[in-house]
Amino acid sequence: MDGPARTTETTPSLDRETIAQFGPHLAYAKDARLDSGVEPDKYVKTHCCFCGQQCGMQLKVKDNLVIGVEPWYEFPFNKGMMCPKGIKRYLQQAHPDRLLHAYEKDTASPGGFKTMAYDAAIRKTAGEIERIQATYGRDAFALLSGASLTTEKTYLMGKFAHMCLRTANIDYNGRLCMVSAGAGNKKAFGIDRAANPWDDILGADVILVSGANIAECAPITTNYVWQAREQGAKVIVVDPRITPIARTCDLFLPVKPGRDTALFNGILHLMIEHDWIDQQFIATHTVGFDAVAAEVREWTPQRTAEVTGIAVKSIEQAAEWWGTAKTSFLCHARGLEHHSHGVQNVLSAINVVLASGRIGRPNCGYATITGQGNGQGGREHGQKCDQLPGGRDLANPEHRGYVAGVWGMDPADLPQPGVDAYEIIRKIDRGEIKGLLSLCFNPVVSLPDNNFVRQALEKLEYYAVIDFFMSESARYATVVLPGSLQEEDEGTVTQTEGRVIRINKAVECPGEARPDWQIIQDIAKALGREQGLAFASPGEMFEELRLASKGGIADYSGISYERIEKNFGVFWPCPSEVPDGVAMPGPQGTPRLFEPGSWNPVAKGAGPFYFPDGKARLNVTAYVGPAEDVDEEFPIILTTGRVVSQFLSGNQTRRIGPLVDHCPEPRIEMHPRLATRLGITDGDWATAESRRGNCTLRASVVTTIRPDTVFIPYHWAGRKSANQLTISAQDPISKIPEYKVCAVRVRKADAPPAYADSLEPQQ
Ligand SMILES: Nc1nc2c(c(=O)[nH]1)N[C@H]1C(S)=C(S)[C@@H](COP(=O)(O)OP(=O)(O)OC[C@H]3O[C@@H](n4cnc5c(=O)[nH]c(N)nc54)[C@H](O)[C@@H]3O)O[C@H]1N2
Ligand SMILES: Nc1nc2c(c(=O)[nH]1)N[C@H]1C(S)=C(S)[C@@H](COP(=O)(O)OP(=O)(O)OC[C@H]3O[C@@H](n4cnc5c(=O)[nH]c(N)nc54)[C@H](O)[C@@H]3O)O[C@H]1N2
Ligand code: SF4
Ligand SMILES: [Mo]
């Protein structure tokens, strides 16, 4: 084009190389479109590819490229609001690192890989699955899957494992995220979903947020809390750090990491002592109160203060506000759940909700805040090691019979439950698992004690990874298959409130990349086992999922793509049939659970909770300390978590320039008092060392953290990875790792050599 064209007819198509060099925005600008802006070919209404808030947004699409993001004001949950990650997500699709071909390991090639034809990669993967299963048994080939995938894909992965490969060993990255909350909710309520839509936060008198850095990790939720505060709500925050939400709260409880059960037991103690409990609700709708009351009798304010490190006065104030409130909302996230007693912690929080009787009514609620984009839908339909679709159990003969019937197979051919994601790694280490396929999981960065994880992965005879960027884990793979970004496929996800929403396709996969579900089906076909795995579209998968989930607790049978589009999402449970005399769920499904008089398929009208007697369970929560507490040798608590501008293992967000600029590297956060004792000043290099590894980073000296605790965000790999230090202790019920507490020592250090670029962890 000659000279700047301000009134051009059509914007010229651009080649990938130009875009790779300049990025989609600049590439068009370079073509002189800067003044008039770029007119997209279309806007696609969809949702964010990152966290469980699942903000509605519109993608601007031009020439099969996502070139920007615009608000979608009508979507009721976020009403056009987004955080920096959502706004910058469009910078992934045309990124020069986007995988456009399959790759195979080749130590002679630069980077250790060479390209490979897609079909050859599929054939090779199928051949190795065949060989490994024939030589070592079916369970010797394992699958790791993810909760950033659409629900359709997670359903397919469960079916691929259980029907096609017939391996017991499939699990997913939600094992590192939502399982303590899930197990706790099932034990207490019989169902695993946020009990309320977020609108119920708005009119609550008291909001208690525990172990959730909502301003950085669930930014839209922060807006709900702030709106409630403007109407007079009191906000209580429990965290070892004064996070942004804590800075604006009315009462901050600086809990010592790993001590939440003690705190909630102490609050319940005071509620009972002052009769700040709802006796009638407890008698009518719960069982187990007396045993819990006996357990918390010893949790006097003094004892609670000693264990938790929180002042007696603050504990009393929290109990009084919570106990005497008319309406309330309690929410928690991984700070409460990432513990070797994560399920206990969750149950202790639920106990104070049930004792208050404030659940199942407007502005009276409880929720765990979902982490991953599809952290909710991804834990419902069969990719968990013990699960079948509809939240059914793989060990339950009736459930096996129903799902096998839908799938057209003999229930006896379904494997029994397998092991959790970390145990899969241990089995690889012991030589019991020889082959692995992972989709949407970056274990080398995200699993605890990752020096062990790397050594285990090196022992695999075959490792296939499906991803759109070469992840740190993919570097250990034999073959890497180019999968799809969220905007390159369609389907559904279920966001934090339990609302099932539509992900709409904006663009086609580039190069040889394929939608993830096609890759899985291509492998099944190459194995000659495509029966039941020949779906033509995600829509077909969803129709089968509706049937497979029918009658289960996570019942999606009444949900259709059309109904979702029409109502800005549909909340499950949403059955397609209910008995005579029972009200069908409205157009939006079931936004609020446990309403008085509500019907569910387990209680069948006996009461609102999902047990045969319709009553919720209070569970005795005896306090037990963390698996590895501090001692003389390792005297400081390490806790780990997130920053606003990075996401999970960072494989996506560490490639997005503006997000990297915002937070280019992890730092060790420590209190000035601790820093002075260690002779460290802000910006100095410091080494944190645990029994498992060490990590040298710059120190960030801040007054917003307990002086006995340091914090490292975990989004970085190699030498910068916090998971070199963390412990692989797991909760015995949920199998979640204890990311939030281990013991370290910290010393001032010199700048590490070859720091910036090395992917190899420090030894
Ligand atoms: N920016 C951003 N947002 C995200 C993500 C991301 O990676 N980046 N990831 C998404 C996902 S998958 C998840 S799971 C969520 C996680 O969301 P959050 O759980 O809110 O985030 P974390 O940083 O893991 O931990 C939350 C808080 O727990 C505190 N904490 C540590 N130990 C304890 C303890 O023993 N008790 C209590 N009460 N608090 C403790 C930490 O100080 C921290 O502030 O965020 C989602 N949103
Ligand atoms: N120390 C410490 N460690 C932690 C935590 C902590 O708080 N502290 N938090 C834990 C938590 S809560 C979580 S959720 C885990 C997350 O741990 P991971 O699941 O390992 O993290 P992700 O970055 O989501 O990794 C997913 C991979 O899949 C790719 N991917 C994403 N979406 C898709 C898709 O649609 N298709 C395909 N083919 N690939 C996709 C990404 O590029 C990435 O490589 O980390 C856990 N690890
Ligand atoms: S990362 Fe979460 S809060 Fe941010 S835009 Fe995406 S869905 Fe919304
Ligand atoms: Mo998570």
Side-chain angles (χ1 to χ4, degrees):
M1 195 182 288
D2 293 327
R6 293 208 163 84
T7 53
T8 47
E9 323 60 77
T10 50
T11 308
S13 295
L14 288 169
D15 59 281
R16 272 195 163 267
E17 254 167 56
T18 319
I19 292 158
Q21 204 180 344
F22 297 98
H25 261 42
L26 282 183
Y28 283 104
K30 181 180 151 280
D31 250 353
R33 301 279 305 167
L34 197 59
D35 285 1
S36 53
V38 180
E39 267 311 305
D41 299 334
K42 59 179 175 182
Y43 290 91
V44 177
K45 290 194 174 88
T46 186
H47 295 270
C48 182
C49 59
F50 295 125
C51 88
Q53 306 283 289
Q54 283 301 292
C55 294
M57 56 174 62
Q58 304 189 67
L59 298 183
K60 284 170 81 170
V61 178
K62 175 132 201 93
D63 298 334
N64 200 40
L65 281 172
V66 179
I67 59 164
V69 165
E70 293 284 332
W72 173 15
Y73 294 107
E74 295 80 21
F75 187 71
F77 181 76
N78 62 306
K79 300 183 178 69
M81 288 176 286
M82 288 176 266
C83 85
K85 293 184 298 303
I87 291 165
K88 298 298 178 194
R89 66 167 284 187
Y90 73 92
L91 290 167
Q92 295 176 89
Q93 199 226 348
H95 196 284
D97 293 351
R98 173 75 171 91
L99 296 179
L100 302 173
H101 307 276
Y103 285 85
E104 68 181 317
K105 180 146 275 168
D106 176 38
T107 42
S109 301
F113 285 89
K114 64 178 183 201
T115 57
M116 177 186 204
Y118 174 81
D119 292 341
I122 294 291
R123 275 198 308 275
K124 179 154 180 160
T125 304
E128 285 294 299
I129 292 173
E130 195 82 64
R131 181 186 70 77
I132 287 170
Q133 290 198 312
T135 315
Y136 304 107
R138 278 198 285 266
D139 295 345
F141 200 93
L143 302 177
L144 288 176
S145 192
S148 298
L149 299 170
T150 58
T151 304
E152 287 79 351
K153 293 184 203 179
T154 67
Y155 173 77
L156 188 79
M157 282 299 276
K159 194 175 186 189
F160 179 62
H162 294 131
M163 182 174 173
C164 177
L165 302 190
R166 290 174 57 197
T167 175
N169 291 321
I170 174 169
D171 205 36
Y172 81 127
N173 58 11
R175 184 67 55 196
L176 320 177
C177 185
M178 300 303 301
V179 287
S180 291
N185 274 259
K186 274 186 87 173
K187 269 176 166 298
F189 303 124
I191 183 172
D192 165 24
R193 202 211 88 181
N196 300 65
W198 261 220
D199 279 348
D200 275 340
I201 297 175
L202 300 177
D205 288 345
V206 173
I207 298 166
L208 198 160
V209 180
S210 181
N213 177 6
I214 57 171
E216 295 198 74
C217 302
I220 307 305
T221 300
T222 313
N223 187 55
Y224 281 83
V225 174
W226 280 346
Q227 281 189 60
R229 213 170 55 106
E230 274 166 25
Q231 296 173 38
K234 294 196 178 78
V235 179
I236 306 172
V237 172
V238 186
D239 199 298
R241 301 186 305 140
I242 308 175
T243 57
I245 187 71
R247 278 168 222 158
T248 60
C249 76
D250 300 278
L251 179 63
F252 173 60
L253 308 178
V255 70
K256 192 167 173 180
R259 275 77 177 168
D260 291 82
T261 292
L263 174 63
F264 284 110
N265 285 354
I267 290 177
L268 188 56
H269 172 103
L270 287 166
M271 287 168 67
I272 295 171
E273 190 175 279
H274 294 276
D275 196 18
W276 291 327
I277 56 176
D278 186 337
Q279 309 261 15
Q280 202 193 334
F281 178 90
I282 292 169
T284 320
H285 291 303
T286 71
V287 291
F289 179 75
D290 292 344
V292 171
E295 173 66 29
V296 303
R297 205 163 292 142
E298 63 175 300
W299 286 95
T300 59
Q302 289 69 27
R303 169 128 197 263
T304 307
E306 267 162 38
V307 173
T308 60
I310 303 168
V312 167
K313 219 170 64 190
S314 303
I315 298 165
E316 287 172 345
Q317 184 69 85
E320 186 185 340
W321 282 355
W322 181 265
T324 59
K326 294 274 174 289
T327 55
S328 60
F329 202 101
L330 188 149
C331 57
H332 55 78
R334 306 308 88 73
L336 182 95
E337 303 159 23
H338 273 160
H339 294 280
S340 59
H341 300 93
V343 178
Q344 293 286 91
N345 288 348
V346 170
L347 290 171
S348 69
I350 293 175
N351 284 346
V352 308
V353 174
L354 287 174
S356 76
R358 292 189 301 267
I359 191 158
R361 287 185 277 135
N363 306 318
C364 291
Y366 160 79
T368 178
I369 302 169
T370 299
Q372 292 153 290
N374 196 19
Q376 180 67 56
R379 68 183 194 260
E380 297 165 358
H381 296 292
Q383 62 173 350
K384 279 173 88 171
C385 65
D386 57 354
Q387 195 192 50
L388 287 169
R392 289 185 164 91
D393 293 331
L394 197 44
N396 179 320
E398 208 183 302
H399 294 185
R400 294 166 68 85
Y402 179 78
V403 174
V406 174
W407 289 354
M409 66 185 286
D410 183 346
D413 288 342
L414 282 172
Q416 290 298 323
V419 297
D420 69 87
Y422 208 85
E423 196 58 30
I424 286 179
I425 302 292
R426 293 194 189 99
K427 274 180 175 282
I428 294 169
D429 181 60
R430 294 198 295 268
E432 294 164 29
I433 289 175
K434 300 285 191 185
L436 177 67
L437 182 149
S438 73
L439 166 63
C440 195
F441 202 143
N442 191 4
V444 165
V445 180
S446 51
L447 286 178
D449 188 8
N450 61 14
N451 288 323
F452 169 75
V453 175
R454 284 182 311 112
Q455 283 164 26
L457 292 181
E458 274 170 1
K459 295 183 182 175
L460 283 166
E461 288 185 9
Y462 191 73
Y463 180 19
V465 168
I466 307 174
D467 211 313
F468 38 74
F469 289 135
M470 186 68 96
S471 69
E472 291 75 17
S473 301
R475 290 173 188 277
Y476 291 81
T478 330
V479 161
V480 182
L481 284 145
S484 47
L485 278 156
Q486 187 238 31
E487 53 267 43
E488 294 164 356
D489 199 0
E490 63 159 349
T492 59
V493 300
T494 304
Q495 53 76 277
T496 189
E497 300 170 294
R499 192 197 294 255
V500 182
I501 50 178
R502 285 276 282 133
I503 302 301
N504 284 310
K505 184 173 179 172
V507 289
E508 298 296 328
C509 285
E512 293 239 88
R514 302 274 194 285
D516 299 318
W517 57 273
Q518 279 184 19
I519 299 176
I520 296 300
Q521 295 200 151
D522 286 345
I523 296 170
K525 196 165 174 200
L527 281 163
R529 300 184 219 165
E530 69 265 45
Q531 199 207 340
L533 289 156
F535 296 103
S537 65
E540 277 189 15
M541 284 175 231
F542 191 77
E543 288 305 309
E544 190 181 287
L545 181 155
R546 288 175 67 176
L547 187 60
S549 73
K550 188 173 175 173
I553 287 184
D555 192 333
Y556 278 46
S557 60
I559 306 177
S560 65
Y561 281 5
E562 296 70 37
R563 193 167 169 180
I564 296 172
E565 297 275 7
K566 234 172 138 176
N567 298 288
F568 295 112
V570 179
F571 292 76
W572 73 265
C574 187
S576 52
E577 290 165 32
V578 289
D580 287 346
V582 168
M584 279 295 276
Q588 281 222 306
T590 314
R592 186 183 299 115
L593 298 176
F594 318 136
E595 295 202 273
S598 62
W599 181 90
N600 73 61
V602 188
K604 298 192 167 62
F609 297 98
Y610 284 62
F611 292 104
D613 59 6
K615 296 183 181 191
R617 269 62 181 153
L618 284 123
N619 289 269
V620 171
T621 52
Y623 166 73
V624 185
E628 183 184 68
D629 215 341
V630 292
D631 55 21
E632 266 178 30
E633 222 186 325
F634 296 94
I636 301 165
I637 299 173
L638 167 71
T639 194
T640 61
R642 300 164 158 73
V643 295
V644 65
S645 48
Q646 291 293 317
F647 191 66
L648 301 182
S649 73
N651 193 37
Q652 296 174 257
T653 45
R654 278 185 278 117
R655 292 176 214 269
I656 298 180
L659 299 179
V660 175
D661 290 346
H662 190 254
C663 187
E665 59 176 27
R667 291 189 170 218
I668 308 180
E669 211 174 89
M670 63 180 81
H671 192 273
R673 245 186 281 158
L674 176 64
T676 307
R677 217 171 67 219
L678 298 169
I680 292 170
T681 51
D682 191 61
D684 281 353
W685 292 97
T687 298
E689 187 177 7
S690 77
R691 290 187 173 82
R692 295 153 294 279
N694 63 67
C695 184
T696 300
L697 304 168
R698 283 184 201 278
S700 173
V701 179
V702 291
T703 52
T704 49
I705 185 167
R706 288 179 60 92
D708 55 7
T709 302
V710 295
F711 171 85
I712 306 179
Y714 87 100
H715 313 284
W716 285 266
R719 287 164 176 249
K720 301 178 192 174
S721 170
N723 278 323
Q724 297 173 98
L725 309 172
T726 49
I727 187 165
S728 62
Q730 288 165 284
D731 182 285
I733 300 165
S734 71
K735 304 290 179 186
I736 207 164
E738 187 145 70
Y739 291 119
K740 293 293 187 266
V741 196
C742 73
V744 295
R745 55 184 170 225
V746 179
R747 61 185 148 80
K748 191 173 165 162
D750 296 326
Y755 175 80
D757 300 321
S758 175
L759 267 176
E760 287 308 307
Q762 272 160 243
Q763 294 303 322

